[in-house]
Amino acid sequence: MAHHRTGRKGATPPERLKDPRSPVFAAVNAVAVAALVLLAGAGGATPAGATSRAAAPAARFVPGACPTTPEPVAALDGAKCGFLEVPENRSRPAGRTIRLAVAVVPAASSKPAQDPVVYMAGGPGGDAFDDIPLLVDAGVNRDRDLIVMAQRGNLHSQPNLACPEIDRASARAVGLRYDDPSARRLLVGAAKQCRDRLAADGTDLGAYNTGENAADFADLRTALGVRRWNVYAYSYGTDLALTYLREHPRGIRSVALDSVTPPQTVNLPWTWSSAREGVDAVLAACRAEPRCQARYPDVARTLTEQVRKLEAHPLTLHAAPPRGGEPVKVVLDGGALVNLIVGNGVRPADLPAALDELARGNPQRFARARAADAYPAVGRTAHGLTESVACGEWVPGYTESQVLEAGRTAFPGMPDTVLAQAPQLPFQQEVCRVWNVPDRTAAQRVATVSAVPALIVSGTFDTKTGASWGARTARDLSRSTVVRIPGVGHFAVAQSPCAQSVLASFFARPTAPDTGCVADLAPKPFTIPRSDREA
């Protein structure tokens, strides 16, 4: 599922990054020599971005410069980079070849383990290279090389299936009601424009799916000469990792899943049950904290009342986004409020205070969060991959009425106009009708049954991928450890030092990780504004 990134702090020191004892660095150097010999024999390299309509060659790694990222990524200064060249569609061997950007960030340890960690990013369509600072800060490369690949269609890969049309339409939509017909026309129209443009460029959108994505990672391991590796995956990346484990189990030493999205389960109605689980956990934590319970005794009722009130009487106001920028017009209605909560626009620790302020006539916390969407990072998300996965794997088989019924079950008392759209995926069925890719559910909605050691980490406040799905997924993974981190949301390892410690111990001892730190965890205190404390 689409993910929300948190801040980052620094990076691994460059002198540690350049350690020549890195095991995967040695393999990459060997691949580089072989590639140079091959290219010399062929009379020179193929220009960047060029594709072939002849028989698709076997996948190969071609060393090259690390990509220039929108924000500097210090860890790339010491990384080995290049491209994995693979067929766009493996069922059409005469089709074109695509290039996926790869970086190998060496271990910080002077004596790294021989089995690296490969990272599978969320989204689908999220920028994997943007996550490198978070991964380094979390110590994922402490004892092992870290391999990061931009999934097919993503930023830094060729082709890049960005949809600026969708980014700009989403920015304009903050000034409209969440479910307004004009918002529908705007967003569905933008998706059609992007789809038509990508198809006109020769892109086979049906090939941008989780099955091909998993095969890319299988090819990457072979192309880099890695005998065994460990997988760390987050959000949609867990859907991908479980597919990879099911279809390409060879060479996988262990699999760590953070904020799990089970491939056999993920669909539009499922998003409502996950949202309810995460919201319930936040509200229960407020009730369990004496200060929060005393100040906000019925925050659940306040939530429902405010959604109903705003849906009946939307607020139109101007607000500046939290990270700066000129104030913009925003419309705050019931649908926008629910989606800001599910999307972590307001931190869980601030949610009771924000709802109380809203009920007292101060909507600024939510208005600022809504304004943040008016300044998207245009071109950063590969919506082409997002829509191809969603429309081929998540949407088919479910009707609009089933989405609405799931919403009613999850949030009884909220208006149907709010519950008719799956959270975070508005108008998705209409978008899929114009996106028009093959239905892949028969191949994709399959449980992964495996004895490979697995770690499943979930945050109890996760409103996108409910924490209970970790334990349910573990039923099919016979050597799995399930960890719930209290008080954190989506992307638990990025937020919790305890989760980072558990992950490190798992990679060291996959069948016996040290989970002792979890027992002492509790959610951080909820925000109570100073004026309330003094009252």
Side-chain angles (χ1 to χ4, degrees), residues 2 5 41 125-126 129 159 229-230 243 264 272 291-292 300 307 357 415 426 478 511-512 522:
R5 294 180 179 84
F129 280 65
W229 64 12
N230 307 277
T243 303
Q264 73 274 24
W272 277 122
R291 293 166 62 256
C292 190
V307 170
E357 290 166 356
S478 60
T511 58

Side-chain angles (χ1 to χ4, degrees), residues 100-323:
L100 314 181
V102 178
V104 180
V105 178
S109 171
S110 61
K111 295 181 179 179
Q114 295 298 305
D115 43 277
V117 177
V118 64
Y119 174 64
M120 297 183 179
D127 175 11
F129 280 65
D130 188 42
D131 289 340
I132 290 175
L134 293 173
L135 301 173
V136 171
D137 286 349
V140 177
N141 73 319
R142 187 183 71 183
D143 299 311
R144 286 168 171 78
D145 292 347
L146 170 64
I147 301 172
V148 176
M149 180 166 72
Q151 296 166 26
R152 54 177 45 215
N154 280 15
L155 186 65
H156 310 307
S157 289
Q158 302 166 3
N160 171 18
L161 304 191
C163 291
E165 302 93 335
I166 293 178
D167 293 326
R168 296 187 182 105
S170 298
R172 290 176 56 193
V174 304
L176 302 170
R177 290 193 60 150
Y178 187 78
D179 64 338
D180 193 271
S182 58
R184 175 185 280 104
R185 289 192 297 271
L186 178 66
L187 294 170
V188 175
K192 185 177 188 305
Q193 290 173 5
C194 182
R195 198 252 186 237
D196 290 348
R197 175 176 56 78
L198 294 175
D201 289 341
T203 302
D204 180 357
L205 289 170
Y208 291 81
N209 60 62
T210 305
E212 291 281 8
N213 211 350
D216 294 339
F217 280 89
D219 283 343
L220 177 64
R221 185 185 67 81
T222 302
L224 291 181
V226 175
R227 189 177 70 86
R228 287 202 313 167
W229 64 12
N230 307 277
V231 176
Y232 170 53
Y234 147 65
S235 194
Y236 163 72
T238 68
D239 184 345
L240 171 59
L242 288 163
T243 303
Y244 172 57
L245 178 60
R246 184 178 73 246
E247 298 184 354
H248 308 277
R250 187 173 182 179
I252 302 175
R253 175 177 176 264
S254 70
V255 177
L257 308 173
D258 184 338
S259 308
V260 68
T261 304
Q264 73 274 24
T265 304
V266 60
N267 54 57
L268 291 188
W270 173 78
T271 61
W272 277 122
S273 63
S274 281
R276 176 82 257 185
E277 182 179 353
V279 169
D280 277 350
V282 176
L283 303 185
C286 178
R287 290 193 299 271
E289 181 187 304
R291 293 166 62 256
C292 190
Q293 170 63 13
R295 179 61 189 86
Y296 311 115
D298 202 351
V299 68
R301 186 178 68 180
T302 302
L303 169 61
T304 301
E305 287 177 347
Q306 290 307 303
V307 170
R308 294 179 65 86
K309 179 179 178 181
L310 286 175
E311 192 67 1
H313 304 287
L315 296 176
T316 300
L317 58 161
H318 283 75
R323 295 186 179 180

Side-chain angles (χ1 to χ4, degrees), residues 20-89:
R21 288 169 287 191
S22 165
V24 179
F25 264 35
V28 173
N29 284 332
V31 170
V33 172
L36 290 173
V37 171
L38 179 65
L39 291 174
T46 303
T51 58
S52 171
R53 290 290 174 182
R60 64 171 184 163
F61 178 75
V62 179
C66 292
T68 300
T69 55
E71 284 88 35
V73 175
L76 291 178
D77 292 343
K80 296 284 188 182
C81 295
F83 286 96
L84 180 72
E85 296 184 344
V86 295
E88 182 178 53
N89 187 332

